[in-house]
Every structure is written in structure tokens, then in C-alpha cells.
Amino acid sequence: MKQSLYNIEQEQRYTLSEIEALGGELTPELEAQLEINAQQLQTKSIKYLEVIKTKDAYNSLVKEEIKRLQGIVKINDNLTTRLKDNLLRAVKTFGDFEAGFTKFSIRKSVSVKVMEDMINSLPKKYKTVKVIESADKKTIKKDLQDGIEIDGCELVSNDNLSIK
């Protein structure tokens, strides 16, 4: 009989409430039911662990493949940049030219370059300010543990699965 971990848990709670209703008396039927639930829990937990390990391993492979593909993208970006630079030098050297239906020429554009060390000396009119605020959770945690109350902050106890 295939049961989810949730159903096994519900059966265990029901069995325990039956034992409680009998004043703690453990009948042979209830004892057998507890044993069945424990076996089902063992079996289901092992199957869950197999799925977890399989998915974790698969995710590791996917992450490695993503890194490999990002490397390929970087190589291709570098190559296309070099090829475009070579074509630009050719147009500068030989002037505008056509190859088949494609025309190679230079298009002028204007951009602004600001020296990094000069940004602070620019008038306010020419600057934008970006402010990013984030909570210092490490300090907040320490203060909360020391008994200091902080509005909007609380310590939350988490249950984390440990598989060894």
C-alpha cells in the first residue's frame, strides 16, 4: 500500500490518540499498528532520501553544465568582439566597402567618459545617488539574544532537516 509521509503521520497520530483514549493501555492491535507505522516511515523516508540525493546530484550536474555553457558564451562574446574590432580597423584602413549585400562603414557616436576619481568633485547637478539599505541581521540577532527589543524584529526558531 503506497502511502505518503503525511498519511503515515496522520495514522500515527490517530493510533497515539487511541492509546491516550484507553488511558495509556497498549493493546496488541495498537502495538501492531505502531510497528506498521514505524516500518512505513522507515521505508518512505529511505525513498524520500533517494529522491533528494538524486535531485541534488542532478542539480549539481545542471549547475556544472550552466558554468560550461557560460564559458562558451564568454568565449563567443570575446571572439565576436575581436572580429568586430578587426572589421573596424579594416574600414579605418581601407574606407567603406561592400561584401556581397553587406556594407561596412563607420558610424559616429558620442559618449561621456567621467574619470572615476573626479565623480566626487562634480556639482550635485551632474550626480545621482543610489542608496541601498539592508538589515544587519547578525547584529540584530545578537541584540535580540541579549534581550534588547527591536520593533519589527524577532528571533524565529527553524527546524532544519539533518541527514547524515
Side-chain angles (χ1 to χ4, degrees), residues 147-161:
I148 299 171
E149 289 188 27
I150 305 168
D151 288 339
C153 299
E154 63 180 333
L155 291 174
V156 179
S157 178
N158 299 310
D159 294 329
N160 299 306
L161 179 63

Side-chain angles (χ1 to χ4, degrees), residues 16-164:
L16 291 174
S17 68
E18 288 289 311
I19 293 170
E20 213 173 274
L22 294 173
E25 183 181 332
L26 188 60
T27 65
E29 295 84 17
L30 291 174
E31 188 174 354
Q33 185 60 39
L34 283 174
E35 193 172 303
I36 290 170
N37 283 344
Q39 290 171 354
Q40 290 174 336
L41 177 63
Q42 292 286 322
T43 303
K44 189 56 80 170
S45 296
I46 289 170
K47 289 183 181 189
Y48 271 40
L49 183 58
E50 288 171 359
V51 171
I52 289 168
K53 288 187 177 210
T54 301
K55 291 300 178 184
D56 282 346
Y58 181 76
N59 285 343
S60 292
L61 290 174
V62 169
K63 288 175 185 175
E64 287 300 315
E65 185 65 8
I66 287 170
K67 285 181 188 175
R68 186 184 73 79
L69 292 172
Q70 286 172 332
I72 291 171
V73 167
K74 186 173 182 176
I75 289 168
N76 287 337
D77 283 345
N78 290 339
L79 175 61
T80 58
T81 299
R82 279 194 314 273
L83 293 175
K84 287 176 184 177
D85 288 345
N86 289 345
L87 281 171
L88 179 60
R89 275 198 309 280
V91 172
K92 285 181 178 179
T93 302
F94 299 105
D96 296 355
F97 64 92
E98 289 185 22
F101 294 109
T102 305
K103 182 177 181 181
F104 295 91
S105 61
I106 294 176
R107 177 183 46 86
K108 295 284 184 185
S109 67
V110 177
S111 64
V112 175
K113 181 179 179 182
V114 178
M115 275 44 105
E116 198 63 37
D117 58 338
M118 297 302 294
I119 293 175
N120 290 333
S121 64
L122 287 173
K124 196 170 192 170
K125 172 183 177 181
Y126 301 115
K127 295 191 282 187
T128 58
V129 178
K130 296 178 184 177
V131 178
I132 299 173
E133 289 183 306
S134 61
D136 181 358
K137 291 184 178 183
K138 189 175 181 181
T139 304
I140 292 171
K141 180 180 179 182
K142 183 185 177 305
D143 286 354
L144 288 172
Q145 287 173 333
D146 290 344
I148 299 171
E149 289 188 27
I150 305 168
D151 288 339
C153 299
E154 63 180 333
L155 291 174
V156 179
S157 178
N158 299 310
D159 294 329
N160 299 306
L161 179 63
S162 174
I163 301 174
K164 295 181 181 182

